[in-house]
C-alpha cells in the first residue's frame, strides 16, 4: 500500500492550477430520485448526477407525568381555580440529515380536539419545542395527547400518542353530628323521679358532672403526644452574596411555551405575591395571594421554596407544597396561580445556555 506522502505530487498539481472553490446551497427539490447539479465557473461548466432521498422528520412527546393532581384549598373551589391550571409539554423533532430545519405547521390535539396555539411554537437548536396545555377547565379523567407537524418540505410526522390521567382533589367536608334523639322516660323512671325531692336530684346531677370531668382529665393525661411524620428541615440562611460559580434564576414561561424574562435570585430571601408593599417580586394574577411564596438561599448555597399560606397554593413539579419547604433543583417547574416559572442554575454571563 502506498504511503500518504505519495499523493503529495497530485496535490501540488491541484495547487498549481489555482484556487479551489467550494459551494454550498439550499436545495428547493421536493421529490426523491435522480437529479443533476450543474456548476459554471467562467467558461467552464460541469454537470453531475446524484441520488436524493427525502424523508419526514421524527417527532416525539417527552414523557410527562402519567398522573396530574389538580388540588383546591376549599370544598367548593371552582374547577377553573384548581391548581395547576397549565401543564408544560416538551416535543422533540429529529431531522433525517441531523441538521435543524423549520416547521410550517403544528397540530396539537387532546382527545382528537384541536388545542388553540397563539403562535407557531419555535424550535431551539436541538429541535426542542415547548407547548402549554391549558387544563383549567378539565375535570378528573383520562386524556390522550397527540402532536402532528408539517416541515418546510411539506412532510407530515406524528408523535406516538401519550395518555395522561387528571385527578381532582378538594378537602372532604366534615361529617355533621346528628342531633340526639330524646328518649321518653319509662313509667318506673317517671315515678322514681317524681318521688325524689329536688335537693336529691340536684346532688345527683352534680355528682354526675364531677365524674365526667374526672374522666375527661384522666383521658387527657393518658393521651400520648402526636409525633410529626417528618420534622421541618433545619435551614441556616445565607449571610453573604451568592458564590460566583453559578447564578440562580427563575425563568417566566409565556402562553406559547417560549421562555420569557428572567429573575436573578441575588438576595438570600426573595418573596413573591400581588402586594407591591409586601413582596420583592410582584405577580399580577387573580390566583396569586398578597404574600404568596418565597425562595430562600441557605448557607450551603441550596435554594428552598416556601409557601406562605397562599389560597391557591404553591406547586413544585405539579405537587402542592405543605407546611415544610422543598429543595429546588435545576429545571424544576414552579407555579403560582396560573403563572409558571422554571428554576435554573446557569453559568455567569451565559443565561439560557445551561
Amino acid at each position: 500500500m502506498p504511503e500518504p506522502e505519495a499523493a503529495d505530487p497530485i496535490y501540488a498539481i491541484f495547487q498549481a492550477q489555482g484556487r479551489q472553490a467550494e459551494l454550498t446551497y439550499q436545495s428547493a427539490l421536493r421529490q426523491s430520485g435522480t437529479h443533476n447539479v450543474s456548476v459554471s465557473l467562467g467558461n467552464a461548466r460541469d454537470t453531475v448526477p446524484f441520488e436524493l432521498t427525502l424523508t419526514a422528520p421524527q417527532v416525539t412527546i417527552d414523557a410527562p407525568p402519567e398522573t396530574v393532581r389538580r388540588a383546591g384549598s376549599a370544598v367548593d373551589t371552582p374547577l377553573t381555580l384548581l391548581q395547576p391550571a397549565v401543564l408544560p409539554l416538551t416535543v422533540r423533532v429529529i431531522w433525517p440529515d441531523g441538521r435543524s430545519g423549520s416547521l410550517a405547521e403544528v397540530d396539537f390535539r387532546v382527545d382528537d380536539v384541536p388545542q388553540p396555539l397563539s403562535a407557531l411554537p419555535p424550535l431551539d437548536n436541538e429541535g426542542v419545542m415547548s407547548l402549554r396545555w391549558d387544563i383549567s377547565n378539565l375535570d378528573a379523567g383520562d386524556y390522550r395527547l397527540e402532536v402532528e407537524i408539517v416541515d418546510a418540505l411539506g412532510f407530515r410526522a406524528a408523535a406516538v400518542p401519550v395518555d395522561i390521567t387528571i385527578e381532582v382533589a378538594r378537602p372532604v367536608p366534615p361529617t355533621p353530628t346528628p342531633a340526639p334523639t330524646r328518649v321518653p322516660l319509662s313509667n318506673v323512671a317517671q315515678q322514681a323521679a317524681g318521688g325524689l325531692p329536688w335537693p336529691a336530684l340536684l346532688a345527683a346531677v352534680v355528682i354526675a358532672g364531677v365524674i365526667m370531668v374526672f374522666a375527661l382529665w384522666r383521658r387527657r393525661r393518658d393521651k400520648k403526644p402526636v409525633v410529626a411524620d417528618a420534622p421541618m428541615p433545619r435551614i441556616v440562611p445565607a449571610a453573604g452574596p451568592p458564590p460566583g460559580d453559578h447564578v440562580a434564576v427563575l425563568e417566566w414561561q409565556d402562553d406559547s411555551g417560549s421562555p420569557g424574562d428572567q429573575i436573578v435570585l441575588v438576595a438570600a430571601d426573595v418573596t413573591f405575591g400581588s402586594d407591591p408593599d409586601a413582596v420583592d417580586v410582584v405577580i399580577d394574577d387573580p390566583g396569586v395571594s398578597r404574600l404568596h411564596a418565597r425562595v430562600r438561599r441557605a448557607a450551603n448555597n441550596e435554594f428552598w421554596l416556601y409557601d406562605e399560606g397562599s389560597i391557591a397554593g404553591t406547586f413544585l413539579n405539579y405537587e402542592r407544597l405543605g407546611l415544610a419547604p422543598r429543595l429546588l433543583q435545576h429545571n424544576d417547574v414552579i407555579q403560582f396561580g396560573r403563572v409558571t416559572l422554571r428554576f435554573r442554575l446557569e453559568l455567569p454571563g451565559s443565561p439560557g445556555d445551561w
Side-chain angles (χ1 to χ4, degrees):
M1 179 179 293
E3 296 295 332
E5 293 79 5
D8 290 345
I10 299 177
Y11 288 108
I13 295 174
F14 291 161
Q15 185 177 11
Q17 291 179 348
R19 185 176 56 186
Q20 303 296 316
E22 181 179 5
L23 302 178
T24 58
Y25 73 101
Q26 184 174 1
S27 175
L29 296 175
R30 297 294 187 269
Q31 185 175 1
S32 301
T34 302
H35 302 274
N36 296 322
V37 59
S38 299
V39 177
S40 298
L41 185 60
N43 296 327
R45 177 182 177 87
D46 192 14
T47 301
V48 176
F50 67 94
E51 291 290 333
L52 177 63
T53 302
L54 298 176
T55 57
Q58 298 179 1
V59 57
T60 58
I61 304 174
D62 281 7
E66 295 183 357
T67 302
V68 177
R69 182 183 178 89
R70 303 192 65 207
S73 58
V75 295
D76 58 349
T77 302
L79 190 64
T80 56
L81 293 184
L82 296 177
Q83 297 297 322
V86 177
L87 183 64
L89 301 173
T90 300
V91 178
R92 298 183 182 274
V93 180
I94 302 175
W95 304 95
D97 57 358
R99 300 181 180 180
S100 60
S102 59
L103 299 180
E105 182 182 342
V106 175
D107 185 15
F108 175 37
R109 294 174 176 266
V110 177
D111 289 345
D112 208 28
V113 177
Q115 302 298 302
L117 299 176
S118 58
L120 187 66
L123 285 174
D124 62 12
N125 295 333
E126 297 180 355
V128 176
M129 172 177 55
S130 297
L131 298 177
R132 290 172 61 84
W133 180 23
D134 185 359
I135 60 175
S136 59
N137 292 312
L138 297 183
D139 209 337
D142 297 328
Y143 299 89
R144 168 156 292 194
L145 278 59
E146 299 174 285
V147 174
E148 185 178 14
I149 64 170
V150 180
D151 65 5
L153 298 179
F155 284 97
R156 290 185 173 271
V160 177
V162 173
D163 295 325
I164 292 182
T165 299
I166 293 182
E167 297 180 350
V168 172
R170 296 183 178 92
V172 179
T175 303
T177 303
T181 303
R182 184 177 179 180
V183 180
L185 295 175
S186 63
N187 294 333
V188 176
Q190 291 177 358
Q191 294 175 1
L196 292 177
W198 69 267
L201 291 176
L202 179 62
V205 171
V206 171
I207 294 174
V210 171
I211 295 174
M212 183 178 296
V213 171
F214 179 76
L216 292 176
W217 175 78
R218 286 286 303 271
R219 184 177 180 181
R220 290 192 61 183
R221 187 190 67 175
D222 298 337
K223 187 177 181 179
K224 296 182 180 180
V226 178
V227 180
D229 294 336
M232 293 283 286
R234 184 176 181 272
I235 303 173
V236 180
D245 55 345
H246 65 271
V247 176
V249 299
L250 289 179
E251 188 178 74
W252 296 90
Q253 303 286 316
D254 59 17
D255 293 335
S256 66
S258 302
D261 296 333
Q262 291 183 341
I263 303 172
V264 182
L265 302 179
V266 178
D269 192 271
V270 181
T271 54
F272 302 82
S274 60
D275 188 352
D277 297 329
V279 298
D280 301 315
V281 178
V282 179
I283 302 176
D284 186 13
D285 186 86
V288 176
S289 300
R290 176 177 173 270
L291 175 59
H292 197 104
R294 74 176 62 237
V295 174
R296 176 170 294 173
R297 177 169 51 86
N300 58 358
N301 206 37
E302 291 179 340
F303 290 83
W304 293 79
L305 177 64
Y306 294 74
D307 179 75
E308 295 295 339
S310 62
I311 297 177
T314 300
F315 291 79
L316 178 62
N317 296 329
Y318 319 113
E319 294 183 3
R320 182 166 184 165
L321 266 68
L323 297 177
R326 294 276 301 277
L327 178 64
L328 290 174
Q329 304 288 347
H330 176 65
N331 256 350
D332 278 353
V333 176
I334 302 174
Q335 290 177 303
F336 306 139
R338 296 173 61 90
V339 177
T340 303
L341 303 100
R342 187 176 292 274
F343 177 79
R344 301 179 65 89
L345 295 173
E346 301 182 345
L347 297 176
S350 59
D353 294 338
W354 230 56

